[in-house]
């Protein structure tokens, strides 16, 4: 078949169908399943985030296309198995957007404020979780709904926080959900104390399993502190990674200039170069921030 680049979503759906057509499609695409495609879906979402952070709009165009392809790929496989198709995906998201925005599309369109929208949003999502739990309970009981829900189907404020989220992001979402029913520190000060407590517990850990558990508790507490200080922990750590990589590369360049590439590097030399890089970076930042 012949296809040309198009601005019509129908063209992408046709191309995906062709790639998945037995005998004439692409061997690699035909071998894929939901499970094998998921890592690519996650990777593409991160590449979108990277393009946004770099403010590279041309790259963002490409990356959004790659992410859209992942949606189309999943929908095509679901259609082949008789679960749903791309149209169902579109209907589901448009229904959700309309339902969650009564202040735009409903009778409550006049007089909405940011505060009222937030309250309405949480009430709607809570109702959606309850309805989902009821559907799951009905399914689990073969249509019989005349008894109490099981632990697996009981509604929780933690429902629908995806397990596959990056760990820091999931920790923050779990904490925000718990805070809805008052399970939260009143301000950042006791959270700082909790971080210090967790550091002490890491110091006291005596075996691999204990260290594993205590490091996890420490990371969870630090994420909680970031949330109380209105800092997105995932973004903060990503920025810290970028800062470390930038400074390390600068240090490497100084090593080559001052020591040569074959000289073994002792820690004192590396630390002195690292501090010099940091000092130069701070000086440049201070200079750039001066008016005029």
């Amino acid at each position: 078949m012949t296809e040309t680049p198009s601005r019509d979503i129908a063209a992408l759906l046709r191309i995906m169908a062709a790639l998945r057509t037995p005998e004439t499609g692409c061997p690699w695409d035909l071998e894929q399943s939901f499970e094998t495609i998921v890592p690519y879906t996650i990777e593409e979402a991160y590449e979108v985030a990277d393009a946004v952070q770099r403010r590279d709009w041309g790259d963002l165009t490409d990356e959004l296309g790659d992410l859209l392809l992942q949606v189309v790929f999943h929908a095509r496989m679901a259609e082949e198995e008789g679960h749903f198709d791309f149209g169902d995906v579109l209907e589901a998201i448009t229904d959700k957007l309309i339902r969650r925005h009564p202040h735009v599309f409903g009778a409550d369109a006049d007089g909405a404020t940011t505060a009222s929208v937030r309250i309405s949003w949480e009430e709607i999502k809570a109702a959606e979780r309850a309805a989902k739990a009821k559907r799951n309970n009905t399914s689990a009981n073969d249509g019989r709904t005349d008894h109490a829900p099981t632990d697996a189907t009981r509604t929780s404020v933690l429902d629908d926080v995806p397990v596959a989220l990056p760990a820091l992001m999931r920790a923050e979402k779990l904490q925000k959900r718990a805070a809805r029913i008052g399970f939260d520190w009143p301000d950042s000060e006791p959270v700082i104390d909790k971080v210090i407590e967790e550091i002490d517990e890491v110091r006291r850990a005596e075996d691999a399993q204990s260290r594993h558990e205590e490091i996890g508790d420490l990371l969870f507490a630090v994420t909680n502190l970031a949330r109380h200080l209105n800092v997105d922990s995932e973004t903060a750590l990503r920025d810290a990674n970028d800062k470390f990589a930038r400074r390390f590369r600068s240090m490497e360049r100084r090593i080559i200039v001052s020591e040569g590439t074959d000289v073994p590097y002792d820690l004192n030399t590396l630390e002195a170069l690292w501090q010099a890089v940091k000092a130069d970076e701070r000086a440049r930042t201070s200079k750039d921030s001066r008016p005029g």
Side-chain angles (χ1 to χ4, degrees):
M1 64 179 297
T2 301
E3 284 285 355
T4 58
S6 173
R7 300 175 70 89
D8 188 346
I9 187 65
L12 179 57
L13 296 175
R14 287 196 306 269
I15 291 170
M16 189 70 252
L19 293 173
R20 289 280 298 182
T21 299
E23 307 300 333
T24 61
C26 171
W28 185 89
D29 289 278
L30 286 166
E31 289 176 356
Q32 303 313 306
S33 65
F34 293 107
E35 291 75 18
T36 62
I37 287 297
V38 162
Y40 295 100
T41 307
I42 296 171
E43 180 181 343
E44 296 300 348
Y46 276 112
E47 291 184 358
V48 167
D50 179 66
V52 169
Q53 189 170 12
R54 291 184 286 106
R55 316 296 283 180
D56 188 332
W57 309 122
D59 202 15
L60 180 58
T61 302
D62 290 338
E63 298 303 344
L64 287 172
D66 291 342
L67 185 58
L68 177 59
L69 173 62
Q70 297 300 308
V71 177
V72 170
F73 208 139
H74 283 282
R76 178 63 194 181
M77 291 187 293
E79 182 178 358
E80 292 168 357
E81 296 183 11
H83 302 309
F84 57 84
D85 62 16
F86 187 74
D88 294 315
V89 175
L90 292 179
E91 184 176 14
I93 187 57
T94 52
D95 174 70
K96 182 183 294 184
L97 288 172
I98 294 168
R99 184 174 64 250
R100 290 185 177 181
H101 294 83
H103 53 287
V104 176
F105 303 108
D108 301 329
D110 296 329
T113 65
T114 301
S116 66
V117 167
R118 184 178 295 111
I119 293 171
S120 174
W121 179 273
E122 297 301 340
E123 290 175 346
I124 292 169
K125 291 187 69 175
E128 290 173 354
R129 285 194 295 272
K132 183 176 180 179
K134 184 177 181 179
R135 288 196 305 270
N136 291 341
N137 190 45
T138 300
S139 176
N141 295 315
D142 298 322
R144 293 176 290 109
T145 59
D146 55 344
H147 52 75
T150 64
D151 288 341
T153 57
R154 185 176 289 112
T155 304
S156 167
V157 294
L158 304 182
D159 286 350
D160 75 9
V161 177
V163 175
L165 283 175
L168 290 178
M169 190 181 299
R170 184 166 186 254
E172 183 174 340
K173 283 186 174 293
L174 291 172
Q175 292 163 4
K176 286 181 176 179
R177 290 292 182 85
R180 291 179 187 174
I181 62 169
F183 191 67
D184 195 14
W185 300 105
D187 54 56
S188 63
E189 285 303 314
V191 189
I192 293 174
D193 293 337
K194 184 64 176 177
V195 170
I196 295 171
E197 175 188 325
E198 296 298 348
I199 291 174
D200 289 338
E201 292 186 3
V202 170
R203 286 196 180 107
R204 293 196 298 269
E206 297 181 349
D207 56 70
Q209 180 57 38
S210 296
R211 287 190 289 272
H212 173 93
E213 183 174 342
E214 298 303 341
I215 287 290
D217 291 345
L218 174 59
L219 292 172
F220 193 85
V222 170
T223 303
N224 204 359
L225 177 60
R227 180 176 62 87
H228 275 270
L229 296 176
N230 295 317
V231 172
D232 182 89
S233 55
E234 191 76 24
T235 303
L237 182 55
R238 187 182 302 118
D239 290 345
N241 289 340
D242 291 343
K243 179 170 64 177
F244 174 83
R246 181 181 66 247
R247 289 176 174 176
F248 191 86
R249 290 190 180 98
S250 181
M251 184 182 71
E252 286 179 312
R253 290 192 293 270
R254 290 174 184 238
I255 289 171
I256 293 173
V257 170
S258 63
E259 302 290 340
T261 57
D262 297 325
V263 178
Y265 315 126
D266 64 88
L267 181 57
N268 290 334
T269 299
L270 294 174
E271 179 62 24
L273 289 168
W274 180 263
Q275 294 302 327
V277 167
K278 290 175 62 177
D280 286 352
E281 194 171 276
R282 284 194 294 268
R284 284 196 304 274
T285 302
S286 177
K287 182 179 178 180
D288 292 342
S289 64
R290 293 173 189 165

